[in-house]
Amino acid sequence: MSRFARQHFSATALLIDLLAIIAATLVFGCSPILAQTNPGSSPLTILKGGTGQVTADAARGSSGLNIEGYTGHGDSIYSILPTDRVVGTTATLTASRTWTLPAASAVNPGQEIMVADFFGGVSSVNTLVIARSGSDTINGGTSVSINSAYGAYRLRSDGTSKWSALISSASASTSTAIKTPLDYGAACDGTTDDSNAIQDWLDGIKANAFVGWGLPGRTCLFGNNTHGNVAAPGLIGIRSGTTILGNGMTFKLKNSATGSSNAGFVTANGTIDQVNGATDIYIERLFIDGNRANQTNSMASGAMLYVIGSTRVYLRDTKTVNSRSDGLYIGGNIATGGRSTFVSVINHEAGGNYRNGMSIVGLDRGHFVGGIFNSTSNTNNDGPQCGVDFESDAGVNTLNSNITVFGGSAVGNGGTLSTTGGSGWCFFGPDPSGIAVYGITGSSNQRWGVAGGVGMTPGTVRLHGVSGASNGSGLVDTANIRDFFPTGISVGAADSGGAGFRYVRVPN
């Protein structure tokens, strides 16, 4: 290209640029060059494709594109505006307050509004309720609540009639991996009835959605669960696919909870009816206290923890104490939902319960290791008052089968009982099958260390090693349990089955 041609090309390009600048100035009211080189010049308005602002922060704010913004509000009700983005407390609440969302249709689909206790003024008593507008729904309901200081909810609209609310708790469990009861509004302060929040927590972590994380050393009261089975408000459901790492957290029945016999936790899907059992449950280091001394009804047919008609349940280092009935109940009925199957209980502690420390009524394929089952007693002369009671209450429909027991101790069971029972380890009801017991201890029980029920075929339970002392009737009820080999014995009266043995019969 010649020098003249190059100069002509440059001049033409410059002319085109100048014409573009003039056109932009005429159409948009400002020069792109001026807008870029002079921050103080008038920016493009939102209607003309700009932000109306000259800084990035202002462009994102409420006077620009309204992407970000904060609205503070104090100790009173509030109607959240469609233009609000983050709404937070500015004072301590002196009563429960309700902040009402705008209509879901008033904001863009997918738009988020965050409501948070910035001030830390919310408590388990003075809650912050986030309510729907009109007939909209929030997580399928009418409202959600912030029940602890510094909690928050992030809410997104479908642009029509529904809000999805995701809680962001002040607890340390706000990751996608774990959730504590605090994330669902529980106070766990030992005085507040957390029944509904506990049920919401269990429903939130079910189906392997989250790992339930216990609050170390905290006590959460329960006793009136209106989010579960209203016919039995003392019951709280544990659903399929639940994993709980309790960390020593305690669920405690509140004083004079219901006056009914049923108050505790039950593995159940849907309605908490003890029939529709759950599957795949793992619970570790969770404690349940029946608060027996402060209940108006001392005898009951319930339990602190029911495993009913359920499959693949694993309990490890758990505790059920001070129940006004059973501590732990495992079973089911073939006629009404089926027996429980594949249940493992490792190092469970049951103490101070009223009826039995642990009842096994309708279990096939169970595995029990270690554990302490002590001080089951009452003063009403009703029973069985056993540390552990293997009993088929409804004949073959609740038959126990294919169960192994390794170790474990049962001490100080039985009180004023004058009928069958009052022993450390009890095997009652129709003949079980495949029950093998290894190396257990039974001491200081009202009657036997190990007792067998009248009518049960001797030898049905294979007892391999038992030790103990100071039982009222003796170590082993040899009239009903014969197929055993004792260990840890001392010389006593010949064939006494009591303090010791002068000789031992060899099992067939």
Side-chain angles (χ1 to χ4, degrees):
M1 181 182 293
S2 66
R3 179 179 179 185
F4 174 78
R6 288 196 300 271
Q7 291 175 342
H8 177 74
F9 178 79
S10 299
T12 302
L14 179 60
L15 179 61
I16 292 173
D17 289 342
L18 290 173
L19 289 174
I21 292 171
I22 294 171
T25 303
L26 292 175
V27 174
F28 297 112
C30 69
S31 166
I33 294 177
L34 292 176
Q36 293 174 15
T37 59
N38 183 8
S41 63
S42 299
L44 286 176
T45 65
I46 294 176
L47 292 178
K48 293 184 178 181
T51 66
Q53 303 297 323
V54 296
T55 66
D57 288 344
R60 295 175 63 86
S62 59
S63 58
L65 298 178
N66 198 28
I67 298 172
E68 297 164 346
Y70 174 73
T71 302
H73 192 78
D75 181 24
S76 64
I77 62 173
Y78 179 63
S79 295
I80 300 171
L81 303 176
T83 53
D84 286 338
R85 292 297 171 261
V86 176
V87 187
T89 57
T90 60
T92 298
L93 302 189
T94 59
S96 180
R97 305 300 184 188
T98 298
W99 292 1
T100 304
L101 290 168
S105 59
V107 299
N108 289 332
Q111 181 174 314
E112 179 178 280
I113 294 177
M114 183 175 183
V115 180
D117 180 24
F118 278 76
F119 192 81
V122 170
S123 69
S124 60
V125 176
N126 299 328
T127 62
L128 180 58
V129 179
I130 305 168
R132 67 179 180 180
S133 173
S135 60
D136 288 352
T137 59
I138 306 173
N139 287 353
T142 61
S143 66
V144 292
S145 298
I146 299 173
N147 298 334
S148 59
Y150 304 107
Y153 267 102
R154 301 173 64 181
L155 304 106
R156 289 187 182 271
S157 166
D158 69 348
T160 305
S161 62
K162 297 180 178 62
W163 290 91
S164 176
L166 176 64
I167 195 168
S168 299
S169 171
S171 74
S173 63
T174 54
S175 72
T176 58
I178 61 175
K179 294 292 181 183
T180 79
L182 297 185
D183 290 315
Y184 295 83
C188 294
D189 56 7
T191 59
T192 304
D193 186 348
D194 292 317
S195 299
N196 289 340
I198 293 170
Q199 184 65 75
D200 291 344
W201 174 60
L202 291 169
D203 287 342
I205 65 176
K206 68 181 181 181
N208 303 307
F210 301 100
V211 171
W213 191 256
L215 305 161
R218 297 282 284 272
T219 298
C220 312
L221 293 187
F222 72 97
N224 187 28
N225 176 21
T226 61
H227 290 185
N229 184 0
V230 178
L235 290 176
I236 294 178
I238 301 174
R239 315 306 193 179
S240 292
T242 293
T243 298
I244 299 175
L245 303 180
N247 301 314
M249 178 176 66
T250 298
F251 290 146
K252 185 175 182 179
L253 190 62
K254 67 180 186 179
N255 293 350
S256 305
T258 62
S260 68
S261 61
N262 270 340
F265 291 76
V266 55
T267 56
N269 289 328
T271 302
I272 308 169
D273 54 12
Q274 303 180 44
V275 174
N276 186 11
T279 61
D280 298 313
I281 292 174
Y282 180 94
I283 301 176
E284 179 179 315
R285 296 198 68 238
L286 180 66
F287 305 154
I288 307 175
D289 186 344
N291 190 18
R292 172 179 166 181
N294 293 300
Q295 302 307 320
T296 56
N297 184 355
S298 294
M299 178 56 183
S301 59
M304 285 294 92
L305 176 59
Y306 285 102
V307 177
I308 303 290
S310 299
T311 300
R312 300 195 182 282
V313 177
Y314 191 102
L315 308 177
R316 184 182 183 92
D317 297 322
T318 47
K319 182 189 299 186
T320 51
V321 297
N322 304 322
S323 170
R324 56 188 178 181
S325 183
D326 289 352
L328 173 61
Y329 183 105
I330 301 171
N333 192 304
I334 294 174
T336 57
R339 294 181 294 168
S340 289
T341 56
F342 298 107
V343 176
S344 293
V345 180
I346 313 298
N347 293 333
H348 181 77
E349 179 180 347
N353 298 295
Y354 188 92
R355 184 173 178 271
N356 287 314
M358 178 171 67
S359 291
I360 312 298
V361 185
L363 171 64
D364 180 47
R365 291 172 176 78
H367 182 77
F368 299 87
V369 178
I372 299 173
F373 306 93
N374 296 346
S375 305
T376 304
S377 66
N378 65 68
T379 57
N380 289 346
N381 192 31
D382 44 23
Q385 298 183 48
C386 296
V388 179
D389 181 19
F390 291 82
E391 181 171 358
S392 301
D393 288 339
V396 295
N397 283 342
T398 57
L399 193 66
N400 293 311
S401 58
N402 303 305
I403 297 172
T404 55
V405 179
F406 298 91
S409 64
V411 176
N413 297 286
T416 60
L417 196 62
S418 61
T419 58
T420 303
S423 297
W425 301 81
C426 298
F427 298 89
F428 297 148
D431 286 347
S433 62
I435 309 295
V437 183
Y438 300 86
I440 60 173
T441 299
S443 296
S444 302
N445 298 292
Q446 182 186 354
R447 283 205 172 84
W448 301 98
V450 181
V454 176
M456 184 180 72
T457 303
T460 303
V461 175
R462 297 187 177 274
L463 182 57
H464 303 273
V466 58
S467 61
S470 303
N471 296 290
S473 300
L475 181 60
V476 179
D477 181 2
T478 56
N480 294 298
I481 296 182
R482 298 178 185 169
D483 194 0
F484 71 98
F485 188 83
T487 61
I489 60 175
S490 59
V491 173
D495 196 21
S496 67
F501 293 82
R502 189 172 299 278
Y503 62 88
V504 176
R505 291 172 177 167
V506 177
N508 295 327

